[in-house]
Amino acid sequence: MKKTLSLFSIRDLIKASLITISVLFVSASVAVADNANLIMATKIDGVMTLDPAQINEIMGAEYIGNVYRTLVSTDDSEELKIQPEIAESWQIVKHPAGGTSIIFKLKKHLRFASNNQVTSSDVVFSIHRALQLNQAAAALLAHINLKTENVTAINNYTVRIDTDYQYSPTFILNVLASPSVAIVDKKLVLQNEVDNDLGSGWLKKHSAGSGAFVLEDWQANQYMKLAKNKYYEYKDAVKLDSVVIKHIPESATQKLMISKGDIDIARDVVDLEQLPVKTHMQHTAKAEVSYLALNLQHPALAQEKVRTAMKYLIDYQEIEASIMKYRAVAHQSFIPKRFLGFNGSEPFAFNLTKAKKLLAEAGYPNGFEIELDAENIELAQAIQAYFSAAKIRVKILPGDSKQVITKYRKSQHQIALVKWASDYLDPHYNASNFISSDPSQKMNLAWRNNWKSQELTDKIDQASKAKDNFTRVKLYGELQDEFFKTAPFIVLFQSNSVSIVRDNVSGFKLGMLPSQNKYEFIKKA
Amino acid sequence: MNLLRKHNKIIKSIFTIVSSILVLLTIVFMLNKFSPIDPVLSVTGDNVSEEIYDNVYREMGLDKSFITQLFNYIARAGNFNFGKSFQTGNEVINDIKSVFPATIELATFAIVLSMFIGIPIGILSAYYKGRAFDHIMRIVTLCGSSMSVFWIGLLGLVIFYVTFGWSSGPGRLSNEFLQNYSDKGFIILPALLSNNLTLFVDAIKHIWLPAAVLAFVNMSYISRMIRSYILEQMEQEYVTICRAKGMSDIRILLVHCLPNIKIPAFTMLCISYAQLLEGSTLTETIYMWPGIGYYMTKSLLNNDTNAILGCTIILGIIFILTNFLVESINAKQKL
């Protein structure tokens, strides 16, 4: 009688053990990467849905940028000009009721990855859908007060978008270039609609776009696989067959994997001083600023002279060269570099004498005690050291980013060291968040710090409705000047997107917004 | 009468288990409510309007009173309906089903490795007490129990993955298998049973290093405990009598002492296994192991109440059942 174990035979066990041992100790692990497939390591555990109307985090926005297309987009030039995308041209026309109207003419030859044609009904459906779902994309479209009745199809390839107010066309176009306004395949999405959910259940794990790639698979917290879209407009230029994005949360692990050649691009390496062999670094400024938020509820911080003194106590350049090397550049305006209206001013430099004098004038010659909520402890300690020179005694309250933000949103902080990323490349986004005290902007950054200025709020409104860019630039210049003088914010840096790339990989494009990080130009030698 | 006594015991045990889980649930729920992290942020992000924020807040049921939320949760949890995770948007039970097999495989590998290495080391250290082997093993086990798992994990990767290439990189599977097998739950045993040796080998090449790291830490504990159990036995009177009868030390150790330590050793191994099943966040993070430790830590950092409570119940049940099982087996063996 054959003697067996309950589940499998002893022979199988011996066979498996021998194979295992031989594999473990004899064979070497083989790098899988080849020329048509790219493997990238980053953190994708923030992605909870792949529905473009609901995505609210960085990797989700990057996914949209590679899988979907928008009506228009911003180009790579210094001026971040608006360029055609699904729309081949647009025209500003007179609005009967005094708002702004833009007529978009769509490209006629475009197809979704499903081979369905891209038409005006897809554009209208996508924007209506975003507004009806009332999630992240709707929040963005609220900046131009867009309602469903404002978006109409004139014919198969012409769409008209009206706004109730006379917003600046650049502002409207910049909002429409945001990844949240991605155009989805109406027919495909509606085929998969369940219980009038506008296909959001299905889109959570599937794609319906016309971008360079399509979603092949996504396992939350594990990996995402994108495959080349054979119906993409510029398909011949796309050299990769697939892009695998692996969730590797640990920086050191990413570094080991890229040094071994098992991944082609590492996105979150912290130690940038010593790069692995056969790799190089790529970094580009992104639309994100790091700043200190000063809550005006604190009696000392309520004084303008104290705030100005604190702005003079920080050596921005020194922090850039040491702690933030490669990861950020010194920056003091609420408007990121390259944005329309950024005036290039950096009025503050470390000046201890001036700071002490201002503090004395404000009645604080011996400084004061203050709490600082921060996630980046290294940076918080540097700030603590700078402030201590003028006897401002900072107590650091370390916390996870969400913990800091929770407290900050409730305005329970004294000083918070936080970041702010723009969702579209227009100065209005940051102006309305940093400065506006309009009731519709409740819970914005100005509100959290108890700062109100009706005069500046009116100016923001004026700037968003200015007909020409020249006027907008002038108004944002004035807003920045006032911001430097009175705002309860000390903007420290503009962040960089940093990636470590294998030397045989070229063409990886990093942009100001996550959706501008493009894989379609990547080539592997 | 005997039957009634027996039933009484079962009823008592069930009562203990249920009340323990209820207390556990209430404590975790309360801790969650005191958490300084706003769960709405996971869904909305920071950049949304007050209106959208309020909608999501209400959808999550956070506008209801603390007591209503707790009772609603306990009522649902009774049916193993833990609700949806705020951070993944999936049913928590489905999330647990997808991450727990990864942890079970890793924990099982780790406990087997640590037993096979730890028990012999413990026995030999006791036998060679005060000699070179014992001293060397003391240093080795001290390293295992005092060094950071994070550091050991990275060192393991540098040596066995980067330098020698004996291990595959982080993750459960290589890229070519990810699409078809990453959502399949258990991988190793089904691959072996279906004779899919390529998949089996790939999974083994991925699991052995994180399992070895966990085993190194666990082995240190197991070997020290085994050593102390044996030394305790060696001081008993029956050992002196055996020696007087002329029995060799090795024979006394193997024939008399080892059977006597099986109850505490079994208890210790079961508890070690239960602890491994809770997941090791650091090992899972370094080795990109999509297990319950990483999932639960992410849930805690996002204050994902449903996910935290779901995991707590499952892990609590495992721990309580393990204890119950160990007690029952030990009671039987004592009889």
Side-chain angles (χ1 to χ4, degrees):
Chain A
M1 202 173 143
K2 201 177 173 186
K3 204 176 177 180
T4 58
L5 287 178
S6 56
L7 289 173
F8 36 78
S9 71
I10 290 174
R11 188 182 291 177
D12 276 352
L13 249 185
I14 295 169
K15 196 169 135 191
S17 310
L18 285 174
I19 291 170
T20 308
I21 291 165
S22 62
V23 163
L24 295 183
F25 295 101
V26 179
S27 74
S29 101
V30 181
V32 182
D34 58 63
N35 288 355
N37 302 299
L38 183 99
I39 303 166
M40 185 189 293
T42 187
K43 295 174 192 168
I44 57 166
D45 52 352
V47 183
M48 58 177 288
T49 175
L50 294 177
D51 180 349
Q54 300 186 51
I55 282 173
N56 66 35
E57 43 67 55
I58 295 167
M59 269 317 286
E62 185 165 315
Y63 162 82
I64 297 178
N66 287 285
V67 171
Y68 290 89
R69 298 181 78 181
T70 41
L71 265 175
V72 290
S73 63
T74 31
D75 69 8
D76 295 335
S77 67
E78 263 314 294
E79 301 81 31
L80 300 168
K81 284 182 194 152
I82 295 290
Q83 64 181 5
E85 197 63 46
I86 277 179
E88 64 180 2
S89 64
W90 53 91
Q91 196 188 354
I92 319 296
V93 293
K94 204 175 172 190
H95 188 286
T100 303
S101 295
I102 306 180
I103 292 178
F104 293 92
K105 278 209 165 17
L106 309 187
K107 293 175 183 170
K108 289 185 178 163
H109 58 280
L110 295 189
R111 291 191 172 272
F112 286 106
S114 62
N115 198 18
N116 290 334
Q117 208 162 10
V118 180
T119 65
S120 55
S121 86
D122 297 299
V123 175
V124 173
F125 170 76
S126 302
I127 300 178
H128 283 189
R129 183 179 177 276
L131 290 165
Q132 283 160 13
L133 287 172
N134 201 19
Q135 293 287 323
L140 214 82
L141 292 169
H143 285 235
I144 50 171
N145 260 306
L146 207 65
K147 299 180 191 81
T148 46
E149 60 268 26
N150 296 139
V151 186
T152 45
I154 294 174
N155 60 42
N156 253 359
Y157 299 101
T158 313
V159 176
R160 180 185 178 116
I161 294 182
D162 303 304
T163 56
D164 295 342
Y165 301 99
Q166 208 168 34
Y167 290 120
S168 151
T170 335
F171 171 39
I172 299 172
L173 290 169
N174 274 329
V175 172
L176 294 175
S178 148
S180 298
V181 198
I183 307 306
V184 300
D185 184 340
K186 178 184 175 184
K187 203 171 158 190
L188 185 63
V189 170
L190 289 180
Q191 270 169 9
N192 294 287
E193 188 181 33
V194 177
D195 298 335
N196 297 321
D197 70 344
L198 293 169
S200 65
W202 183 80
L203 269 180
K204 184 183 171 185
K205 287 191 169 181
H206 298 86
S207 64
S210 55
F213 295 91
V214 288
L215 177 70
E216 203 165 290
D217 193 22
W218 169 50
Q219 293 296 328
N221 293 346
Q222 291 192 55
Y223 86 111
M224 184 188 285
K225 186 175 182 186
L226 306 179
K228 182 177 173 176
N229 171 11
K230 56 184 178 183
Y231 296 106
Y232 179 50
E233 187 182 7
Y234 309 109
K235 59 182 180 296
D236 297 335
V238 181
K239 300 293 174 211
L240 294 174
D241 288 341
S242 76
V243 176
V244 173
I245 304 161
K246 291 182 100 171
H247 175 58
I248 313 279
E250 185 44 48
S251 150
T253 311
Q254 286 191 13
K255 205 168 176 181
L256 288 174
M257 289 183 83
I258 200 163
S259 70
K260 178 86 174 151
D262 278 356
I263 55 171
D264 301 299
I265 300 175
R267 303 287 296 277
D268 310 287
V269 173
V270 177
D271 172 20
L272 299 166
E273 286 298 332
Q274 284 185 315
L275 297 184
V277 288
K278 294 182 186 169
T279 66
H280 61 274
M281 191 199 317
Q282 263 184 251
H283 56 84
T284 306
K286 56 181 176 180
E288 177 185 272
V289 290
S290 295
Y291 65 97
L292 289 170
L294 316 175
N295 194 339
L296 300 190
Q297 267 182 340
H298 190 280
L301 300 179
Q303 298 211 33
E304 198 178 303
K305 282 188 175 170
V306 171
R307 300 200 296 273
T308 312
M310 291 166 92
K311 291 171 189 175
Y312 279 112
L313 280 171
I314 297 167
D315 191 335
Y316 304 85
Q317 301 299 333
E318 189 184 80
I319 300 184
E320 180 195 320
S322 53
I323 301 170
M324 302 307 288
K325 195 173 178 187
Y326 306 119
R327 288 200 287 272
V329 285
H331 182 82
Q332 294 178 5
S333 168
F334 69 90
I335 301 179
K337 290 184 179 78
R338 291 175 67 194
F339 271 47
L340 176 92
F342 170 63
N343 64 6
S345 321
E346 287 193 5
F348 305 106
F350 180 69
N351 188 336
L352 184 59
T353 321
K354 197 169 182 176
K356 279 183 172 172
K357 190 174 164 241
L358 284 164
L359 282 172
E361 283 169 15
Y364 291 94
N366 295 317
F368 52 90
E369 280 186 8
I370 196 97
E371 290 175 353
L372 169 61
D373 290 280
E375 187 201 10
N376 186 339
I377 302 304
E378 205 182 356
L379 188 52
Q381 283 168 340
I383 304 284
Q384 185 185 44
Y386 285 128
F387 285 174
S388 71
K391 297 180 186 166
I392 299 174
R393 296 169 295 282
V394 174
K395 184 183 170 194
I396 298 171
L397 304 178
D400 174 73
S401 64
K402 286 211 169 77
Q403 190 178 336
V404 175
I405 295 289
T406 300
K407 199 171 168 187
Y408 184 38
R409 281 181 72 96
K410 291 178 183 166
S411 189
Q412 291 169 342
H413 64 292
Q414 291 184 348
I415 304 180
L417 174 56
V418 273
K419 290 177 183 173
W420 182 257
S422 312
D423 281 348
Y424 53 84
L425 302 176
D426 192 274
H428 178 80
Y429 188 80
N430 281 11
S432 61
N433 274 292
F434 275 99
I435 301 171
S436 175
S437 46
D438 191 284
S440 66
Q441 295 291 327
K442 197 183 165 195
M443 285 179 94
N444 72 354
L445 310 182
W447 179 88
R448 294 176 202 181
N449 292 287
N450 295 288
W451 186 41
K452 280 181 190 161
S453 168
Q454 193 51 50
E455 191 196 333
L456 297 183
T457 307
D458 293 342
K459 203 166 264 184
I460 293 169
D461 192 48
Q462 238 181 305
S464 72
K465 290 170 183 165
K467 277 183 189 163
D468 59 87
N469 284 348
F470 177 77
T471 316
R472 289 193 84 200
V473 169
K474 183 176 162 283
L475 289 167
Y476 285 116
E478 289 167 17
L479 279 167
Q480 282 167 95
D481 292 341
E482 198 55 38
F483 178 87
F484 292 133
K485 273 189 217 155
T486 57
F489 301 104
I490 307 177
V491 179
L492 305 164
F493 307 106
Q494 180 170 348
S495 311
N496 281 336
S497 287
V498 186
S499 288
I500 306 299
V501 182
R502 296 276 304 172
D503 285 344
N504 62 330
V505 176
S506 61
F508 178 42
K509 211 177 96 182
L510 288 167
M512 286 208 85
L513 292 177
S515 57
Q516 291 179 317
N517 299 339
K518 299 282 188 185
Y519 314 147
E520 62 182 282
F521 311 106
I522 295 178
K523 284 178 194 163
K524 281 177 73 179
Chain B
M1 193 67 186
N2 261 349
L3 198 71
L4 191 72
R5 204 175 291 159
K6 201 176 169 187
H7 278 222
N8 252 349
K9 213 175 170 186
I10 293 171
I11 292 167
K12 256 187 192 172
S13 306
I14 291 172
F15 179 76
T16 314
I17 292 172
V18 172
S19 56
S20 307
I21 289 171
L22 277 177
V23 170
L24 181 73
L25 210 60
T26 312
I27 292 173
V28 175
F29 194 86
M30 283 168 70
L31 287 175
N32 237 355
K33 288 291 145 194
F34 291 124
S35 164
I37 297 169
D38 183 354
V40 181
L41 288 177
S42 313
V43 180
T44 61
D46 187 22
N47 304 12
V48 289
S49 64
E50 194 190 9
E51 184 207 344
I52 292 177
Y53 177 90
D54 289 344
N55 285 344
V56 175
Y57 187 83
R58 275 192 296 276
E59 276 168 24
M60 287 169 128
L62 297 170
D63 55 331
K64 296 189 177 75
S65 74
F66 174 83
I67 299 291
T68 318
Q69 286 184 53
L70 177 63
F71 276 102
N72 282 349
Y73 192 83
I74 290 175
R76 280 191 290 124
N79 300 322
F80 280 87
N81 172 13
F82 304 127
K84 281 189 174 176
S85 157
F86 305 156
Q87 48 166 348
T88 64
N90 302 328
E91 292 289 334
V92 170
I93 194 74
N94 291 338
D95 276 349
I96 294 175
K97 273 184 200 165
S98 76
V99 295
F100 206 29
T103 298
I104 293 176
E105 283 191 346
L106 185 62
T108 309
F109 245 79
I111 196 75
V112 170
L113 276 176
S114 44
M115 272 165 58
F116 275 107
I117 304 167
I119 294 174
I121 288 178
I123 295 171
L124 291 172
S125 298
Y127 183 71
Y128 292 115
K129 187 194 167 194
R131 289 160 71 180
F133 181 83
D134 187 28
H135 291 311
I136 293 167
M137 283 305 134
R138 182 175 294 125
I139 294 166
V140 172
T141 53
L142 188 72
C143 289
S145 51
S146 59
M147 272 159 46
S148 151
V149 181
F150 187 81
W151 191 78
I152 301 172
L154 280 179
L155 198 68
L157 273 179
V158 170
I159 297 170
F160 298 108
Y161 162 59
V162 179
T163 312
F164 295 119
W166 290 352
S167 158
S168 293
R172 282 181 88 190
L173 289 169
S174 298
N175 296 330
E176 58 266 38
F177 295 110
L178 276 176
Q179 201 166 345
N180 297 326
Y181 298 100
S182 62
D183 59 342
K184 292 283 183 282
F186 292 101
I187 294 172
I188 295 176
L189 198 59
L192 190 63
L193 293 177
S194 60
N195 232 5
N196 189 346
L197 286 180
T198 335
L199 176 67
F200 173 78
V201 169
D202 190 69
I204 293 289
K205 280 178 72 176
H206 280 83
I207 202 172
W208 82 262
L209 186 55
V213 169
L214 283 178
F216 181 51
V217 178
N218 215 37
M219 172 275 285
S220 306
Y221 170 68
I222 291 174
S223 62
R224 295 320 286 172
M225 292 306 286
I226 296 282
R227 180 185 178 275
S228 73
Y229 292 150
I230 293 176
L231 290 177
E232 200 184 316
Q233 290 296 319
M234 294 294 266
E235 282 165 15
Q236 301 292 318
E237 273 184 20
Y238 75 87
V239 173
T240 319
I241 294 167
C242 288
R243 278 187 184 134
K245 281 183 172 179
M247 279 172 85
S248 67
D249 271 3
I250 189 80
R251 191 175 152 83
I252 297 169
L253 196 150
L254 293 175
V255 178
H256 295 284
C257 296
L258 277 188
N260 283 341
I261 68 158
K262 69 183 178 192
I263 291 178
F266 178 70
T267 309
M268 175 201 58
L269 290 172
C270 284
I271 290 172
S272 290
Y273 186 50
Q275 278 170 348
L276 285 170
L277 283 177
E278 285 175 31
S280 165
T281 310
L282 288 177
T283 315
E284 288 181 1
T285 307
I286 299 165
Y287 288 94
M288 204 202 98
W289 202 262
I292 200 158
Y294 184 73
Y295 176 73
M296 207 165 166
T297 310
K298 281 293 298 173
S299 307
L300 282 165
L301 289 176
N302 287 295
N303 198 7
D304 186 348
T305 318
N306 289 349
I308 297 165
L309 290 171
C311 292
T312 308
I313 292 172
I314 299 290
L315 294 176
I317 290 172
I318 287 172
F319 216 86
I320 291 164
L321 286 180
T322 312
N323 271 330
F324 182 66
L325 194 78
V326 168
E327 273 174 26
S328 312
I329 293 172
N330 287 349
K332 265 191 183 174
Q333 289 196 345
K334 274 179 190 166
L335 287 175

